[in-house]
Amino acid sequence: MLSKPIQKLADLFLKFPGVGPKQAARFVFYLLREDPSAARALAGAVASLHDEVKICAQCFKTYDNNHVVSSAKEGLCELCRDDRRNPKMVMVVEKEVDLENVERTRKYEGLYHVLGGTISPLDSSAPTRLHLKELFERLRVLAAGAEPVEVILATNPTAEGDATALYLERVLAPLKNQSSGLKISRLGRGISTGSELEYTDEITIANALQNRK
């Protein structure tokens, strides 16, 4: 029995992933309790989002369009424009937040490719929604060069992540067969620090054995 303005905004919040009717209503009432300037600031940020945030034409990472200097690399994010990064090393991640976590380690100096999701064994249309064709074309051009190229499949250790990695290996197999300089690798998996074998599942132990040093 919410008033129409409240219900209208709550219905918009309902479109957000993971938000239910009660939570959507709480968002609206929170804004009503706040100073009107907070609602105006939120509305302004939402209205300008598509103008200020762009998607990288190469890796599909988002970037701030306000701080881009016009150059020959226009349309690329700050990582793809960085000449200090290794363009012959491409890490494939499911989503942008995975990329951010890798960057925090300061141990990776290559570039990225954001798929935009995973492949579900129960969803045959999933591959068409991901940036797979763009990845294949990007690696095809890189593999045509004289220098070796490495693509790192950094999907998550889940059923969907493993299915996606296996699918990518099949898709990229022709490129690997054509170019001896193309290497396909996956992130190592194993037993984390502080864990005990007694409480570790068999899949993790198997991965630890496979990736032992």
Side-chain angles (χ1 to χ4, degrees), residues 10-66:
D11 289 341
L12 292 175
F13 282 127
L14 272 174
K15 296 181 179 180
F16 284 71
V19 175
K22 291 184 178 180
Q23 189 174 19
R26 284 198 293 268
F27 289 163
V28 179
F29 286 114
Y30 167 79
L31 289 173
L32 284 173
R33 290 193 303 268
E34 290 294 301
D35 188 274
S37 61
R40 287 193 291 269
L42 176 63
V46 173
S48 62
L49 183 64
H50 284 280
D51 293 327
E52 296 182 348
V53 178
K54 298 298 181 182
I55 306 295
C56 179
Q58 178 169 266
C59 74
F60 299 96
K61 174 188 176 298
T62 59
Y63 66 93
D64 186 350
N65 194 43
N66 295 320

Side-chain angles (χ1 to χ4, degrees), residues 58-123:
Q58 178 169 266
C59 74
F60 299 96
K61 174 188 176 298
T62 59
Y63 66 93
D64 186 350
N65 194 43
N66 295 320
H67 297 153
V68 174
V69 179
S70 180
S71 67
K73 296 185 177 181
E74 189 173 355
L76 301 181
C77 69
E78 68 279 6
L79 297 179
C80 291
R81 293 195 310 269
D82 191 346
D83 293 331
R84 295 169 297 181
R85 312 286 299 207
N86 181 2
K88 298 293 185 178
M89 183 179 291
V90 180
M91 180 179 290
V92 181
V93 295
E94 297 177 12
K95 49 193 180 298
E96 188 168 333
V97 68
D98 300 334
L99 178 159
E100 300 295 340
N101 286 336
V102 174
E103 280 298 288
R104 290 192 189 97
T105 68
R106 300 183 182 275
K107 297 295 184 181
Y108 179 69
E109 299 179 348
L111 298 179
Y112 297 89
H113 191 92
V114 181
L115 289 176
T118 57
I119 294 175
S120 172
L122 303 177
D123 185 4

